[in-house]
mmCIF file of all heavy atoms in Angstrom:
data_model
loop_
_atom_site.group_PDB
_atom_site.id
_atom_site.type_symbol
_atom_site.label_atom_id
_atom_site.label_comp_id
_atom_site.label_asym_id
_atom_site.label_seq_id
_atom_site.Cartn_x
_atom_site.Cartn_y
_atom_site.Cartn_z
ATOM 1 N N TRP H 1 89.416 -248.362 97.656
ATOM 2 C CA TRP H 1 89.300 -246.925 97.849
ATOM 3 C C TRP H 1 89.114 -246.310 96.466
ATOM 4 O O TRP H 1 89.905 -246.580 95.543
ATOM 5 C CB TRP H 1 90.562 -246.343 98.489
ATOM 6 C CG TRP H 1 90.723 -246.684 99.944
ATOM 7 C CD1 TRP H 1 90.029 -247.610 100.654
ATOM 8 C CD2 TRP H 1 91.675 -246.109 100.845
ATOM 9 N NE1 TRP H 1 90.482 -247.644 101.954
ATOM 10 C CE2 TRP H 1 91.483 -246.730 102.100
ATOM 11 C CE3 TRP H 1 92.663 -245.135 100.703
ATOM 12 C CZ2 TRP H 1 92.264 -246.407 103.214
ATOM 13 C CZ3 TRP H 1 93.446 -244.803 101.816
ATOM 14 C CH2 TRP H 1 93.238 -245.431 103.049
ATOM 15 N N VAL H 2 88.072 -245.505 96.324
ATOM 16 C CA VAL H 2 87.750 -244.861 95.046
ATOM 17 C C VAL H 2 87.909 -243.352 95.223
ATOM 18 O O VAL H 2 87.321 -242.755 96.122
ATOM 19 C CB VAL H 2 86.310 -245.200 94.609
ATOM 20 C CG1 VAL H 2 85.968 -244.495 93.304
ATOM 21 C CG2 VAL H 2 86.139 -246.714 94.457
ATOM 22 N N ASP H 3 88.700 -242.748 94.362
ATOM 23 C CA ASP H 3 88.972 -241.318 94.474
ATOM 24 C C ASP H 3 87.740 -240.496 94.127
ATOM 25 O O ASP H 3 86.896 -240.911 93.325
ATOM 26 C CB ASP H 3 90.125 -240.943 93.542
ATOM 27 C CG ASP H 3 90.874 -239.702 93.991
ATOM 28 O OD1 ASP H 3 90.571 -239.179 95.078
ATOM 29 O OD2 ASP H 3 91.783 -239.263 93.258
ATOM 30 N N LEU H 4 87.656 -239.326 94.740
ATOM 31 C CA LEU H 4 86.620 -238.349 94.411
ATOM 32 C C LEU H 4 87.218 -237.259 93.521
ATOM 33 O O LEU H 4 88.370 -236.851 93.725
ATOM 34 C CB LEU H 4 86.068 -237.704 95.682
ATOM 35 C CG LEU H 4 85.129 -238.558 96.532
ATOM 36 C CD1 LEU H 4 84.898 -237.894 97.890
ATOM 37 C CD2 LEU H 4 83.799 -238.783 95.829
ATOM 38 N N PRO H 5 86.453 -236.772 92.543
ATOM 39 C CA PRO H 5 86.937 -235.632 91.758
ATOM 40 C C PRO H 5 87.270 -234.451 92.666
ATOM 41 O O PRO H 5 86.629 -234.251 93.706
ATOM 42 C CB PRO H 5 85.744 -235.299 90.847
ATOM 43 C CG PRO H 5 84.956 -236.570 90.772
ATOM 44 C CD PRO H 5 85.120 -237.224 92.118
ATOM 45 N N ARG H 6 88.255 -233.677 92.276
ATOM 46 C CA ARG H 6 88.724 -232.556 93.090
ATOM 47 C C ARG H 6 87.573 -231.699 93.621
ATOM 48 O O ARG H 6 87.542 -231.315 94.789
ATOM 49 C CB ARG H 6 89.679 -231.683 92.255
ATOM 50 C CG ARG H 6 90.400 -230.605 93.028
ATOM 51 C CD ARG H 6 90.987 -229.558 92.078
ATOM 52 N NE ARG H 6 91.820 -230.145 91.051
ATOM 53 C CZ ARG H 6 93.145 -230.150 91.069
ATOM 54 N NH1 ARG H 6 93.795 -229.623 92.083
ATOM 55 N NH2 ARG H 6 93.819 -230.687 90.068
ATOM 56 N N GLU H 7 86.589 -231.429 92.755
ATOM 57 C CA GLU H 7 85.494 -230.533 93.154
ATOM 58 C C GLU H 7 84.529 -231.175 94.148
ATOM 59 O O GLU H 7 83.682 -230.487 94.724
ATOM 60 C CB GLU H 7 84.726 -230.047 91.920
ATOM 61 C CG GLU H 7 84.030 -231.145 91.124
ATOM 62 C CD GLU H 7 84.885 -231.749 90.031
ATOM 63 O OE1 GLU H 7 86.135 -231.673 90.123
ATOM 64 O OE2 GLU H 7 84.301 -232.306 89.075
ATOM 65 N N HIS H 8 84.653 -232.502 94.348
ATOM 66 C CA HIS H 8 83.773 -233.189 95.294
ATOM 67 C C HIS H 8 84.508 -233.734 96.515
ATOM 68 O O HIS H 8 83.922 -234.468 97.306
ATOM 69 C CB HIS H 8 83.041 -234.339 94.597
ATOM 70 C CG HIS H 8 82.100 -233.903 93.517
ATOM 71 N ND1 HIS H 8 80.989 -233.122 93.772
ATOM 72 C CD2 HIS H 8 82.106 -234.130 92.179
ATOM 73 C CE1 HIS H 8 80.351 -232.886 92.630
ATOM 74 N NE2 HIS H 8 81.006 -233.479 91.654
ATOM 75 N N LYS H 9 85.781 -233.386 96.661
ATOM 76 C CA LYS H 9 86.563 -233.902 97.782
ATOM 77 C C LYS H 9 85.929 -233.586 99.138
ATOM 78 O O LYS H 9 86.021 -234.382 100.070
ATOM 79 C CB LYS H 9 87.987 -233.310 97.752
ATOM 80 C CG LYS H 9 88.873 -233.870 96.663
ATOM 81 C CD LYS H 9 89.406 -235.236 97.046
ATOM 82 C CE LYS H 9 90.386 -235.771 96.029
ATOM 83 N NZ LYS H 9 90.896 -237.105 96.415
ATOM 84 N N MET H 10 85.285 -232.431 99.231
ATOM 85 C CA MET H 10 84.718 -232.003 100.509
ATOM 86 C C MET H 10 83.194 -232.119 100.519
ATOM 87 O O MET H 10 82.505 -231.403 101.248
ATOM 88 C CB MET H 10 85.168 -230.575 100.818
ATOM 89 C CG MET H 10 86.671 -230.432 100.985
ATOM 90 S SD MET H 10 87.314 -231.330 102.437
ATOM 91 C CE MET H 10 86.742 -230.225 103.743
ATOM 92 N N THR H 11 82.676 -233.041 99.740
ATOM 93 C CA THR H 11 81.230 -233.254 99.721
ATOM 94 C C THR H 11 80.741 -233.805 101.057
ATOM 95 O O THR H 11 81.516 -234.336 101.859
ATOM 96 C CB THR H 11 80.859 -234.217 98.569
ATOM 97 O OG1 THR H 11 79.446 -234.181 98.363
ATOM 98 C CG2 THR H 11 81.260 -235.653 98.898
ATOM 99 N N GLU H 12 79.452 -233.705 101.284
ATOM 100 C CA GLU H 12 78.854 -234.227 102.512
ATOM 101 C C GLU H 12 78.990 -235.753 102.534
ATOM 102 O O GLU H 12 78.675 -236.434 101.557
ATOM 103 C CB GLU H 12 77.366 -233.844 102.570
ATOM 104 C CG GLU H 12 76.660 -234.218 103.852
ATOM 105 C CD GLU H 12 77.047 -233.344 105.028
ATOM 106 O OE1 GLU H 12 77.677 -232.288 104.823
ATOM 107 O OE2 GLU H 12 76.699 -233.714 106.160
ATOM 108 N N PRO H 13 79.464 -236.327 103.643
ATOM 109 C CA PRO H 13 79.581 -237.788 103.722
ATOM 110 C C PRO H 13 78.226 -238.474 103.581
ATOM 111 O O PRO H 13 77.186 -237.920 103.946
ATOM 112 C CB PRO H 13 80.160 -238.020 105.123
ATOM 113 C CG PRO H 13 80.862 -236.747 105.455
ATOM 114 C CD PRO H 13 80.023 -235.667 104.839
ATOM 115 N N LYS H 14 78.259 -239.699 103.050
ATOM 116 C CA LYS H 14 77.029 -240.489 102.949
ATOM 117 C C LYS H 14 77.367 -241.979 102.951
ATOM 118 O O LYS H 14 78.521 -242.372 102.789
ATOM 119 C CB LYS H 14 76.214 -240.109 101.723
ATOM 120 C CG LYS H 14 76.815 -240.511 100.394
ATOM 121 C CD LYS H 14 75.846 -240.192 99.244
ATOM 122 C CE LYS H 14 76.411 -240.628 97.901
ATOM 123 N NZ LYS H 14 75.453 -240.377 96.786
ATOM 124 N N TYR H 15 76.327 -242.788 103.102
ATOM 125 C CA TYR H 15 76.487 -244.240 103.209
ATOM 126 C C TYR H 15 75.460 -244.923 102.319
ATOM 127 O O TYR H 15 74.277 -244.588 102.361
ATOM 128 C CB TYR H 15 76.271 -244.657 104.666
ATOM 129 C CG TYR H 15 76.248 -246.149 104.915
ATOM 130 C CD1 TYR H 15 77.422 -246.900 104.919
ATOM 131 C CD2 TYR H 15 75.053 -246.810 105.176
ATOM 132 C CE1 TYR H 15 77.405 -248.259 105.166
ATOM 133 C CE2 TYR H 15 75.023 -248.180 105.430
ATOM 134 C CZ TYR H 15 76.198 -248.895 105.423
ATOM 135 O OH TYR H 15 76.184 -250.243 105.660
ATOM 136 N N GLN H 16 75.932 -245.860 101.494
ATOM 137 C CA GLN H 16 75.033 -246.652 100.654
ATOM 138 C C GLN H 16 75.200 -248.133 101.028
ATOM 139 O O GLN H 16 76.291 -248.683 100.896
ATOM 140 C CB GLN H 16 75.368 -246.480 99.169
ATOM 141 C CG GLN H 16 75.248 -245.060 98.647
ATOM 142 C CD GLN H 16 75.671 -244.972 97.189
ATOM 143 O OE1 GLN H 16 74.964 -245.424 96.288
ATOM 144 N NE2 GLN H 16 76.833 -244.383 96.935
ATOM 145 N N ALA H 17 74.120 -248.749 101.481
ATOM 146 C CA ALA H 17 74.090 -250.195 101.717
ATOM 147 C C ALA H 17 73.366 -250.817 100.535
ATOM 148 O O ALA H 17 72.162 -250.645 100.365
ATOM 149 C CB ALA H 17 73.377 -250.522 103.023
ATOM 150 N N LEU H 18 74.103 -251.508 99.680
ATOM 151 C CA LEU H 18 73.549 -252.067 98.451
ATOM 152 C C LEU H 18 73.442 -253.574 98.615
ATOM 153 O O LEU H 18 74.461 -254.267 98.689
ATOM 154 C CB LEU H 18 74.446 -251.703 97.269
ATOM 155 C CG LEU H 18 74.773 -250.209 97.138
ATOM 156 C CD1 LEU H 18 75.816 -249.970 96.066
ATOM 157 C CD2 LEU H 18 73.515 -249.408 96.848
ATOM 158 N N LEU H 19 72.227 -254.069 98.700
ATOM 159 C CA LEU H 19 72.018 -255.483 98.984
ATOM 160 C C LEU H 19 71.967 -256.305 97.705
ATOM 161 O O LEU H 19 71.717 -255.785 96.611
ATOM 162 C CB LEU H 19 70.742 -255.660 99.791
ATOM 163 C CG LEU H 19 70.684 -254.871 101.110
ATOM 164 C CD1 LEU H 19 69.407 -255.174 101.868
ATOM 165 C CD2 LEU H 19 71.911 -255.153 101.975
ATOM 166 N N LYS H 20 72.212 -257.585 97.853
ATOM 167 C CA LYS H 20 72.294 -258.499 96.715
ATOM 168 C C LYS H 20 71.096 -258.359 95.784
ATOM 169 O O LYS H 20 71.234 -258.333 94.565
ATOM 170 C CB LYS H 20 72.408 -259.935 97.235
ATOM 171 C CG LYS H 20 72.563 -260.992 96.163
ATOM 172 C CD LYS H 20 72.737 -262.375 96.795
ATOM 173 C CE LYS H 20 72.906 -263.452 95.722
ATOM 174 N NZ LYS H 20 73.103 -264.795 96.324
ATOM 175 N N GLY H 21 69.897 -258.232 96.382
ATOM 176 C CA GLY H 21 68.685 -258.129 95.582
ATOM 177 C C GLY H 21 68.544 -256.819 94.841
ATOM 178 O O GLY H 21 67.718 -256.704 93.930
ATOM 179 N N ASP H 22 69.358 -255.804 95.215
ATOM 180 C CA ASP H 22 69.307 -254.498 94.551
ATOM 181 C C ASP H 22 70.109 -254.454 93.266
ATOM 182 O O ASP H 22 69.937 -253.552 92.441
ATOM 183 C CB ASP H 22 69.865 -253.406 95.477
ATOM 184 C CG ASP H 22 69.096 -253.272 96.775
ATOM 185 O OD1 ASP H 22 67.885 -253.568 96.780
ATOM 186 O OD2 ASP H 22 69.709 -252.871 97.793
ATOM 187 N N MET H 23 71.030 -255.407 93.106
ATOM 188 C CA MET H 23 71.991 -255.324 92.005
ATOM 189 C C MET H 23 71.320 -255.576 90.657
ATOM 190 O O MET H 23 70.388 -256.367 90.538
ATOM 191 C CB MET H 23 73.121 -256.343 92.209
ATOM 192 C CG MET H 23 73.822 -256.264 93.548
ATOM 193 S SD MET H 23 74.444 -254.611 93.937
ATOM 194 C CE MET H 23 75.104 -254.894 95.593
ATOM 195 N N GLY H 24 71.845 -254.903 89.626
ATOM 196 C CA GLY H 24 71.397 -255.211 88.283
ATOM 197 C C GLY H 24 71.834 -256.616 87.909
ATOM 198 O O GLY H 24 72.904 -257.073 88.329
ATOM 199 N N LYS H 25 71.029 -257.327 87.122
ATOM 200 C CA LYS H 25 71.331 -258.719 86.762
ATOM 201 C C LYS H 25 71.344 -258.878 85.240
ATOM 202 O O LYS H 25 70.401 -258.475 84.557
ATOM 203 C CB LYS H 25 70.288 -259.675 87.329
ATOM 204 C CG LYS H 25 70.070 -259.584 88.841
ATOM 205 C CD LYS H 25 71.209 -260.191 89.617
ATOM 206 C CE LYS H 25 70.886 -260.167 91.117
ATOM 207 N NZ LYS H 25 72.041 -260.556 91.941
ATOM 208 N N VAL H 26 72.408 -259.488 84.747
ATOM 209 C CA VAL H 26 72.489 -259.878 83.337
ATOM 210 C C VAL H 26 72.661 -261.390 83.313
ATOM 211 O O VAL H 26 73.655 -261.912 83.816
ATOM 212 C CB VAL H 26 73.685 -259.215 82.621
ATOM 213 C CG1 VAL H 26 73.763 -259.690 81.169
ATOM 214 C CG2 VAL H 26 73.585 -257.694 82.694
ATOM 215 N N VAL H 27 71.678 -262.104 82.763
ATOM 216 C CA VAL H 27 71.774 -263.562 82.646
ATOM 217 C C VAL H 27 72.353 -263.881 81.274
ATOM 218 O O VAL H 27 71.787 -263.498 80.241
ATOM 219 C CB VAL H 27 70.402 -264.230 82.839
ATOM 220 C CG1 VAL H 27 70.507 -265.745 82.655
ATOM 221 C CG2 VAL H 27 69.845 -263.902 84.231
ATOM 222 N N LEU H 28 73.479 -264.565 81.268
ATOM 223 C CA LEU H 28 74.141 -264.899 80.012
ATOM 224 C C LEU H 28 73.429 -266.057 79.318
ATOM 225 O O LEU H 28 72.817 -266.905 79.976
ATOM 226 C CB LEU H 28 75.605 -265.253 80.265
ATOM 227 C CG LEU H 28 76.433 -264.152 80.957
ATOM 228 C CD1 LEU H 28 77.839 -264.647 81.232
ATOM 229 C CD2 LEU H 28 76.461 -262.881 80.103
ATOM 230 N N GLU H 29 73.521 -266.096 78.015
ATOM 231 C CA GLU H 29 72.837 -267.132 77.233
ATOM 232 C C GLU H 29 73.438 -268.515 77.473
ATOM 233 O O GLU H 29 74.586 -268.655 77.895
ATOM 234 C CB GLU H 29 72.919 -266.788 75.745
ATOM 235 C CG GLU H 29 72.164 -265.516 75.361
ATOM 236 C CD GLU H 29 72.278 -265.212 73.880
ATOM 237 O OE1 GLU H 29 73.021 -265.930 73.185
ATOM 238 O OE2 GLU H 29 71.616 -264.254 73.423
ATOM 239 N N ASN H 30 72.632 -269.526 77.192
ATOM 240 C CA ASN H 30 73.063 -270.926 77.222
ATOM 241 C C ASN H 30 73.617 -271.347 78.580
ATOM 242 O O ASN H 30 74.547 -272.156 78.672
ATOM 243 C CB ASN H 30 74.122 -271.187 76.141
ATOM 244 C CG ASN H 30 73.614 -270.828 74.752
ATOM 245 O OD1 ASN H 30 72.475 -271.140 74.403
ATOM 246 N ND2 ASN H 30 74.444 -270.157 73.974
ATOM 247 N N ASN H 31 73.060 -270.768 79.667
ATOM 248 C CA ASN H 31 73.468 -271.125 81.029
ATOM 249 C C ASN H 31 74.966 -270.921 81.256
ATOM 250 O O ASN H 31 75.609 -271.671 82.005
ATOM 251 C CB ASN H 31 73.089 -272.581 81.335
ATOM 252 C CG ASN H 31 73.163 -272.901 82.822
ATOM 253 O OD1 ASN H 31 72.835 -272.065 83.663
ATOM 254 N ND2 ASN H 31 73.625 -274.102 83.155
ATOM 255 N N GLU H 32 75.523 -269.907 80.601
ATOM 256 C CA GLU H 32 76.967 -269.683 80.736
ATOM 257 C C GLU H 32 77.326 -268.915 81.999
ATOM 258 O O GLU H 32 78.477 -268.967 82.440
ATOM 259 C CB GLU H 32 77.500 -268.965 79.503
ATOM 260 C CG GLU H 32 77.446 -269.839 78.258
ATOM 261 C CD GLU H 32 78.275 -269.305 77.114
ATOM 262 O OE1 GLU H 32 77.800 -268.372 76.449
ATOM 263 O OE2 GLU H 32 79.386 -269.817 76.902
ATOM 264 N N GLY H 33 76.351 -268.223 82.604
ATOM 265 C CA GLY H 33 76.654 -267.515 83.832
ATOM 266 C C GLY H 33 75.792 -266.289 84.024
ATOM 267 O O GLY H 33 74.722 -266.153 83.415
#
């Protein structure tokens, strides 16, 4: 559960479906991960 700032507590509800392929990717050097 992530809190909303006081001024956004009553914001319009919304839904984000974030798929694996959408994520930002950082490939670490030397095959570390």
Side-chain angles (χ1 to χ4, degrees):
W1 288 13
V2 178
D3 205 5
L4 285 168
R6 189 197 307 258
E7 63 270 23
H8 295 297
K9 287 282 185 180
M10 297 295 285
T11 193
E12 185 73 13
K14 70 175 182 177
Y15 173 76
Q16 299 177 73
L18 308 172
L19 303 183
K20 183 177 181 179
D22 300 331
M23 306 306 177
K25 305 286 184 189
V26 178
V27 178
L28 302 177
E29 295 180 354
N30 303 317
N31 194 37
E32 292 195 282

